[in-house]
Amino acid sequence: MILERGPVLLENKVFYVTTPIYYPSDKLHIGHALTTTMADTLARYKKMRGYDVYFLTGSDEHGQKIQRKAQEAGVEPLTYVDRIVASFQELWRRLDIQYNDFIRTTEGRHKRVVQELFRRIYEQGDIYKSEYEGWYCTPCETFWTERQLVEGNCPDCGRPVELLREESYFFRLSKYADRLLEYIEEHPEFIQPPSRRNEMINFIKGGLEDLCVSRTTFDWGIPVPFDSRHVIYVWFDALTNYISALGYGTEDDSLFRRYWPGAVHLVGKDIVRFHTIIWPIILMAAGIELPRQVFGHGWLLVEGGKMSKSKGNVVDPMILIERYGSDAIRYFLLREMPYGNDGYYSEEALVNRINTDLANDFGNLLSRTTAMIEKFAGGYIPAPGSEESPLDRELKSLAARVPEEVDRALNNFEFAKALSSIWELINRANKYIEETAPWSLARRSENRERLNTVLYNLAEAIRQATVMCTPFMPGVPRRVWQQLGIAEKAELHAWDSLAPWGGIPAGIKIARGEPLFPRLEWQGEGAAPAVVCTKNGESDRAESSAAGKEGEELISIEEFGRIKLRVAQVLAAERVPKADKLLKLEVKLGDERRTVVAGIAKYYRPEDLVGKKVILVANLKPAKLRGIVSEGMVLAAVDGDNLALLTTDAEITDGAVVR
C-alpha cells in the first residue's frame, strides 16, 4: 500500500502539535487549560529553536449530547455551540495561547474531508452496514459491550448507559489489530509515556471489535455521503480534524504535505485509546502515514477526585486568570504535573507556588539585583572585571548546562522537570548574592572591580533564566526586559543568545519597576488573596540585602517583641500525602499540643524528628496547608541547599519562652 506523506524535512525543523478538539457542551475547566498550555509551550519553544511550527486546536461540535443540550435550551445546535465555542476562544486569548488554526467540525472544510475519507474506506470494503445493539454512554459518545461495563455503568465516566439498537455502518477495526500492534512495538516512541503504551498493547491483545461509525437516532452530525439517513459517528468525525485542518484531500493540500506525518498529539489519558488505536487504524485503512507521537498526560485532580460538573468541583480558569494572571496559572499547571501521572490542584497550592517560586525566587532575584545596580552602580549594568572566582565559574557552568536540560525535558514532555532546571539557575543566582555579599564589597573602593563582576553576572543570569522561561510564561519576559533595559534588543531575547555567557551589554541603563509577582496572603478557598507588601511595595526579601546596616533592613525592639518564640517538643511526625516537601508535626508546648506543617521533608525523616526540641513561632496566624491546619512555624537556618532546624544547646522544658 502506498502511503501519503509530507517532505523529508519533517524529520528536522518542522513541528506540528495538536490538542484534542474540545466538546462544547459547556465551558472548559482548568484541566482543559492544562493540555492547551502544554501544546502552546511546546509550540513557542520550537519556534524559538528555529522550527517551522503549526499549532492546531479546535472544537468537536457534533453528537447526540449536543443535540439534546440544544433542545433543552430551545435553540438550534449550531446556535448552542457558537456561544460556547466563543468562550473557548476567549479563554485561549486570556491564557496567551497562540494557535495557528482553530478547527470547528461544523465547518465545510472539515465536513468535506470527513465524507471523502469515509467514502474511500467504504469503497475498499473496510466499512460495512449491519445492525448494532449495545450499551451507549451519551456523555462519552461511546458504545460498550456488556463485559466492558463496570457495575452496569460506563467504564470511563461511571455514568449510566442506555441500551440502543439501530442500523449502523461499521469500520473493520479488528482487521488492522495485528498490523497496529506490530507498528507500536517497532516504534516505542509512538505512544508516551511508556505506561500508556503498555496499556494500549494489552488492550489490543485483548481483542478489538469492529467500530460503529454511524448513527440514525439523531441527525446532528455529518451525513454519510452515500446514505443520508446516517450521520457519521463522532469519533470518526472528530479525529479527522488533525488532517482536515491541513487540507488533506483538497485542491490545496500544501499544509498537509508540509506538516504531516510530523504530528504530536497531546491528549488526556482518558482519550489515549481513541488516538492510539482508532485514529491510527483509520489512517492505515486510508493509506495515510501515522502521526509521529501521542502523549497522554494525567488528570489534574481536585480534592473530590476528577473534575466533574456532577460533583460540583469544576474549577473555572477564567476566574483564576482574573485573580492571579495567566503567567502564574501557566506556571502552576506545568510545574505541578508529574510526568505521565496525575497532578493535584487547590487554590491554596497555587498561592503557595506563586509565593515560593515566582515571588520569592524569581521576582526577588530581579528586585534585589536591580536595587543593587541602582544603588552601587548608578543604575547602569557595570562591565565585569577580568578575574574570575570559583563562584563565578560555578554560576556560569550551571547556566551553560541548563538549556540542554530544558531541551531534553521538553522533548520528553517533562514540563515540570524543565522548569525545575531553570529554577536551579534562579536559586543558584540567589545563593550567589549571599555568597558574594555585594553590600559588603561596596564599602571598600578596592573591591569595585569585584563588585562590578558580581552585579554583571547577576544581570546576565536573570537574562538567561528569562529567555528560558519565555515559552512557559510569555508575559514575563517583556516586564523583565524593561527592567533590565534591553526591551528593544530582540537579539538578547532569543534562545541562541544563551551561549556563550556574557550576552547582556555593559553600560545598559536599567529601569526598576513593580515586582514581577507580589506575595499573596491566602484568604481561603474562593476568596481573592491579599497582596503582602513591605517597603516600597516590594515583596518579602526584595531589598533586604541592599539596604540597612550590614545589608539588612532594621527593625525596632518593639517590632521584634511581637514575635512569640517558644520551645516545642516533637511528639510525632509523618509525611503529608501527595506533598513531597511537607511533614506534619505534633508538638508539645508545656500543657498545650499543636499541629504544625513544615516544609522540611527533603531534609529530615519523620522518625528522626520525634523527641527533638525545636523553636516555634507560637503566635503565627493558623494556615491551612493541604487540608491540615498548621498552628505555628518551626524555625530553621538555610544555607543554599542545606537546612537545619533551630534547637537548644541544653536541656530545657518544652513551652519555655525564647528571648
Side-chain angles (χ1 to χ4, degrees):
M1 182 179 290
I2 297 175
L3 300 179
E4 300 176 13
R5 61 174 299 161
V8 177
L9 58 82
L10 281 169
E11 302 300 324
N12 297 313
K13 301 299 284 185
V14 170
F15 185 72
Y16 177 34
V17 63
T18 73
T19 72
I21 51 174
Y22 302 111
Y23 205 52
S25 59
D26 209 333
K27 292 191 298 184
L28 299 180
H29 59 64
I30 194 70
H32 300 113
L34 167 65
T35 316
T36 310
T37 301
M38 285 179 170
D40 184 71
T41 299
L42 287 176
R44 289 176 181 273
Y45 173 67
K46 291 295 185 179
K47 286 178 185 176
M48 290 185 76
R49 301 307 307 273
Y51 281 70
D52 176 7
V53 174
Y54 203 81
F55 171 19
L56 176 69
T57 188
S59 53
D60 171 15
E61 302 178 16
H62 292 129
Q64 188 174 23
K65 184 177 180 180
I66 293 292
Q67 186 162 326
R68 288 181 178 178
K69 287 270 191 179
Q71 288 170 348
E72 292 169 6
V75 297
E76 291 298 314
L78 186 59
T79 302
Y80 179 83
V81 297
D82 278 347
R83 174 179 54 84
I84 298 177
V85 169
S87 75
F88 291 5
Q89 294 169 327
E90 175 61 14
L91 172 59
W92 302 147
R93 185 188 70 80
R94 297 280 300 279
L95 200 57
D96 289 324
I97 304 297
Q98 290 186 343
Y99 50 79
N100 294 87
D101 194 2
F102 188 102
I103 183 77
R104 297 183 60 177
T105 56
T106 50
E107 294 178 69
R109 60 170 174 157
H110 176 73
K111 292 180 181 179
R112 288 187 291 273
V113 174
V114 171
Q115 288 182 319
E116 182 54 36
L117 193 65
F118 195 96
R119 184 197 306 276
R120 178 174 176 176
I121 296 175
Y122 172 78
E123 289 177 350
Q124 70 185 37
D126 284 335
I127 291 178
Y128 61 93
K129 185 189 287 188
S130 185
E131 191 172 75
Y132 187 81
E133 182 176 87
W135 296 97
Y136 185 69
C137 175
T138 298
C140 294
E141 301 278 8
T142 305
F143 279 103
W144 303 101
T145 62
E146 185 80 37
R147 66 179 174 82
Q148 291 174 314
L149 300 180
V150 178
E151 297 180 352
N153 294 321
C154 172
D156 272 358
C157 72
R159 295 184 178 93
V161 293
E162 53 185 317
L163 185 63
L164 295 180
R165 181 172 184 170
E166 62 180 298
E167 180 184 85
S168 299
Y169 284 93
F170 288 81
F171 175 42
R172 297 186 193 278
L173 208 65
S174 56
K175 172 182 173 181
Y176 292 88
D178 290 342
R179 181 176 165 188
L180 176 60
L181 188 61
E182 181 182 2
Y183 183 89
I184 294 172
E185 290 175 339
E186 290 179 354
H187 299 81
E189 75 288 349
F190 175 55
I191 304 174
Q192 292 296 317
S195 59
R196 306 272 185 265
R197 181 175 67 244
N198 294 335
E199 290 172 12
M200 294 305 103
I201 289 173
N202 291 334
F203 189 90
I204 296 169
K205 288 181 176 179
L208 298 183
E209 297 183 358
D210 289 352
L211 180 70
C212 173
V213 290
S214 78
R215 301 289 305 280
T216 58
T217 52
F218 62 92
D219 59 9
W220 180 239
I222 299 173
V224 170
F226 44 82
D227 191 344
S228 59
R229 293 186 305 109
H230 290 253
V231 294
I232 296 173
Y233 177 55
V234 63
W235 282 107
F236 193 103
D237 167 3
L239 290 163
T240 305
N241 89 91
Y242 301 124
I243 57 174
S244 68
L246 299 180
Y248 166 77
T250 67
E251 291 184 2
D252 182 6
D253 64 351
S254 57
L255 290 178
F256 177 78
R257 289 184 288 107
R258 183 174 180 178
Y259 294 106
W260 196 266
V264 174
H265 298 320
L266 302 186
V267 299
K269 66 179 183 180
D270 51 331
I271 55 173
V272 168
R273 186 174 71 252
F274 303 103
H275 285 79
T276 59
I277 297 178
I278 296 176
W279 177 227
I281 291 180
I282 290 173
L283 294 170
M284 285 179 173
I288 304 172
E289 194 162 357
L290 272 55
R292 178 182 299 170
Q293 206 164 34
V294 179
F295 175 70
H297 63 76
W299 289 332
L300 188 63
L301 303 178
V302 291
E303 190 170 346
K306 186 183 178 185
M307 287 183 217
S308 165
K309 278 187 62 184
S310 61
K311 293 180 180 178
N313 62 357
V314 171
V315 177
D316 186 345
M318 284 289 205
I319 294 174
L320 296 181
I321 294 169
E322 184 69 30
R323 190 170 289 166
Y324 301 103
S326 65
D327 287 315
I329 303 304
R330 290 173 63 112
Y331 180 83
F332 177 84
L333 291 173
L334 298 170
R335 188 68 188 266
E336 288 292 317
M337 284 300 295
Y339 173 69
N341 296 318
D342 295 336
Y344 294 87
Y345 167 83
S346 73
E347 196 166 350
E348 184 176 9
L350 170 61
V351 170
N352 287 339
R353 185 61 84 175
I354 292 171
N355 284 341
T356 302
D357 294 5
L358 300 181
N360 283 3
D361 295 343
F362 193 8
N364 277 316
L365 175 62
L366 176 66
S367 181
R368 298 169 84 187
T369 298
T370 54
M372 290 186 291
I373 291 174
E374 194 171 74
K375 184 178 181 68
F376 303 138
Y380 292 88
I381 296 174
S386 57
E387 294 187 11
E388 188 177 70
S389 76
L391 291 176
D392 303 336
R393 288 192 290 272
E394 184 180 344
L395 181 66
K396 294 178 183 181
S397 175
L398 177 61
R401 188 183 79 235
V402 169
E404 296 176 4
E405 294 178 352
V406 172
D407 179 73
R408 186 161 51 248
L410 286 180
N411 285 328
N412 291 327
F413 310 105
E414 296 176 288
F415 298 92
K417 187 174 182 179
L419 283 169
S420 179
S421 295
I422 298 170
W423 250 251
E424 188 179 352
L425 175 60
I426 290 170
N427 290 330
R428 186 65 191 84
N430 276 312
K431 183 180 178 182
Y432 180 80
I433 293 177
E434 307 306 328
E435 292 169 329
T436 56
W439 50 90
S440 296
L441 294 173
R443 296 195 191 102
R444 301 178 69 89
S445 59
E446 59 265 32
N447 294 329
R448 169 55 57 181
E449 184 173 306
R450 179 62 189 151
L451 174 62
N452 288 347
T453 298
V454 169
L455 296 179
Y456 179 88
N457 286 343
L458 287 170
E460 176 68 355
I462 292 170
R463 185 190 72 84
Q464 295 215 7
T466 304
V467 169
M468 289 185 281
C469 281
T470 301
F472 304 90
M473 297 183 290
V476 164
R478 173 182 51 81
R479 298 160 61 199
V480 176
W481 305 147
Q482 193 68 37
Q483 294 201 37
L484 290 181
I486 58 173
E488 305 304 319
K489 296 185 177 295
E491 69 278 7
L492 299 181
H493 312 163
W495 197 274
D496 289 345
S497 72
L498 295 177
W501 176 273
I504 196 166
I508 292 286
K509 180 77 167 69
I510 67 163
R512 294 199 71 208
E514 294 298 314
L516 286 182
F517 296 95
R519 277 187 58 82
L520 305 172
E521 182 179 342
W522 173 242
Q523 300 289 307
E525 199 70 36
V531 177
V532 181
C533 293
T534 57
K535 183 179 178 181
N536 296 329
E538 299 289 352
S539 53
D540 274 359
R541 70 181 188 203
E543 292 190 84
S544 62
S545 295
K549 186 178 179 181
E550 300 299 325
E552 299 294 340
E553 186 175 347
L554 303 179
I555 64 172
S556 68
I557 189 65
E558 291 79 12
E559 289 175 299
F560 176 75
R562 294 178 59 196
I563 303 172
K564 306 301 181 186
L565 303 177
R566 296 175 66 186
V567 176
Q569 182 176 3
V570 180
L571 301 178
E574 61 184 68
R575 291 187 176 276
V576 176
K578 302 171 184 175
D580 294 339
K581 300 179 180 179
L582 301 181
L583 293 182
K584 175 185 174 184
L585 310 180
E586 297 296 329
V587 301
K588 178 173 175 286
L589 297 84
D591 296 330
E592 182 184 0
R593 297 194 179 195
R594 293 192 188 184
T595 298
V596 176
V597 178
I600 57 175
K602 179 180 175 182
Y603 307 96
Y604 289 93
R605 296 182 302 175
E607 58 268 26
D608 294 339
L609 292 171
V610 176
K612 274 188 179 292
K613 290 188 176 180
V614 296
I615 308 302
L616 183 79
V617 180
N619 63 334
L620 193 67
K621 182 179 177 181
K624 197 171 185 180
L625 301 172
R626 297 282 180 162
I628 303 169
V629 176
S630 182
E631 305 167 292
M633 179 174 68
V634 294
L635 296 185
V638 180
D639 180 16
D641 294 329
N642 298 319
L643 177 145
L645 290 171
L646 299 190
T647 61
T648 60
D649 65 355
E651 186 61 33
I652 194 166
T653 305
D654 55 79
V657 175
V658 179
R659 298 177 180 176

